[in-house]
Amino acid sequence: MTTALCAGAYLHHMQIHSADPAALARFYADAMDMSARRLDSGDWLLEGPQRRVLFTEGADKALGFAAFACRDRQGLAAIRTRVIAEAADVLPSPSPLFAADAFAVRDPDGNIIVFGLGQPEAPRKGLRGPLQHLTLATKDPDAIEQFYVGVLGFAVSDYVRDEAGQITACWMRSNHEHHTLACFRRSTAGIDHHSYEAGDWSVIKDWCDRMGERRIPIMWGPGRHGPGNNLFVFIEDPDRNWIEISAELEVVHDRAANVWPHEEHTVNLWGRGILRS
Ligand SMILES: [Fe+2]
């Protein structure tokens, strides 16, 4: 059952920890074209058009939680029912941005994933770039895939597997977008990067110009990923969290998951790649 996929869940906001959340708030306000305000909880809330990030005091680069909004109440209720049926714990939502009907789950790495309903957003000006996906670093991508697919009902769009058949990378979707959550095999668990979807190449150029004006270096790209076929650039924030700005991410309707050879998926492909069938 593709419960999360049927619920049309999308990455609505995230909370990231930092030893200096005020410094991160200043960086995102300036670089990522967002407004910053301090909440009663002490968190910094950064908001731009269709993008929201919370920063709270803690260990640098740790994920507080990732919050997915569902299309409607039925979708939200279906995920809760599915989680209970799979014998996973339903936890209280830690998010100040969702209402009381939101709830959370804990994945095998201890990441807190929240599901709720988004509130209507007043029109905002700013560069296009809705918050779009979170990529986790994990020592055990097979366990991550089994949780998000087997317990929550995400669908797999693409895999990378090693010679032993173990997953080294996995891109999973919870709506029509190629991935809303991904994981890479790493030596430590946590956030690998999070991403904003600029829509088309000309807007990525505008983002690059914005970074250039601020002397913020582009760390990787421009390039085009194999899985997802999206154009990308990466920058990093003062805590060295990697931020992706993406465009032209594949829309998936009903295709089967692809498997990519390990050596092909991370290079700048510019639309070219080799699929292992
Ligand atoms: Fe990404």
Side-chain angles (χ1 to χ4, degrees):
M1 280 198 306
T2 49
T3 314
L5 181 60
C6 291
Y10 65 97
L11 184 60
H12 185 272
H13 62 280
M14 300 169 49
Q15 187 201 56
I16 300 172
H17 290 199
S18 173
D20 190 352
L24 275 194
R26 286 193 297 273
F27 176 86
Y28 280 74
D30 182 42
M32 297 305 295
D33 203 7
M34 300 163 99
S35 63
R37 68 187 163 100
R38 194 98 190 257
L39 302 181
D40 292 342
S41 63
D43 283 15
W44 285 93
L45 171 61
L46 279 291
E47 293 179 289
Q50 297 178 279
R51 54 182 178 270
R52 308 152 203 89
V53 187
L54 294 155
F55 299 115
T56 197
E57 195 158 345
D60 282 354
K61 303 179 73 169
L63 178 67
F65 57 82
F68 287 82
C70 298
R71 182 185 294 127
D72 53 30
R73 289 189 187 287
Q74 290 75 20
L76 179 61
I79 298 175
R80 180 191 283 266
T81 300
R82 169 81 179 270
V83 168
I84 293 168
E86 299 290 342
D89 291 335
V90 174
L91 309 172
S93 162
S95 173
L97 303 186
F98 280 165
D101 53 359
F103 64 93
V105 294
R106 192 188 307 273
D107 80 10
D109 283 348
N111 298 306
I112 300 295
I113 307 298
V114 186
F115 292 95
L117 296 171
Q119 306 298 318
E121 182 186 78
R124 286 179 170 275
K125 290 189 172 168
L127 263 179
R128 180 177 172 184
L131 180 64
Q132 197 278 322
H133 71 259
L134 167 66
T135 296
L136 299 169
T138 180
K139 295 178 182 176
D140 191 350
D142 285 87
I144 292 291
E145 187 253 12
Q146 284 164 24
F147 180 81
Y148 286 90
V149 174
V151 174
L152 299 176
F154 283 60
V156 176
S157 297
D158 285 274
Y159 290 109
V160 178
R161 293 184 184 275
D162 64 17
E163 295 304 319
Q166 298 290 302
I167 300 171
T168 61
C170 180
W171 292 263
M172 293 168 279
R173 65 186 184 278
S174 54
N175 57 42
H176 60 283
E177 297 169 313
H178 175 271
H179 58 287
T180 51
L181 188 123
C183 65
F184 293 161
R185 188 165 71 189
R186 300 279 193 243
S187 57
T188 58
I191 302 172
D192 185 88
H193 67 269
H194 72 284
S195 182
Y196 302 83
E197 177 67 21
D200 67 53
W201 168 243
S202 66
V203 185
I204 287 203
K205 178 181 69 67
D206 293 341
W207 279 106
C208 288
D209 286 342
R210 185 178 182 87
M211 300 310 162
E213 288 162 5
R214 288 160 176 75
R215 299 294 185 264
I216 296 168
I218 303 298
M219 306 301 289
W220 186 28
R224 187 186 286 278
H225 292 305
N229 198 40
N230 45 328
L231 299 160
F232 66 86
V233 293
F234 283 83
I235 62 168
E236 64 179 12
D237 71 19
D239 286 356
R240 309 198 73 179
N241 292 301
W242 271 54
I243 301 167
E244 179 178 28
I245 299 169
S246 159
E248 300 183 11
L249 181 64
E250 180 187 356
V251 170
V252 177
H253 297 290
D254 57 2
R255 68 165 173 78
N258 293 320
V259 180
W260 293 76
H262 185 74
E263 64 277 13
E264 291 291 343
H265 83 286
T266 56
V267 297
N268 295 356
L269 294 167
W270 287 107
R272 300 176 60 220
I274 302 165
L275 277 168
R276 182 189 291 160
S277 59

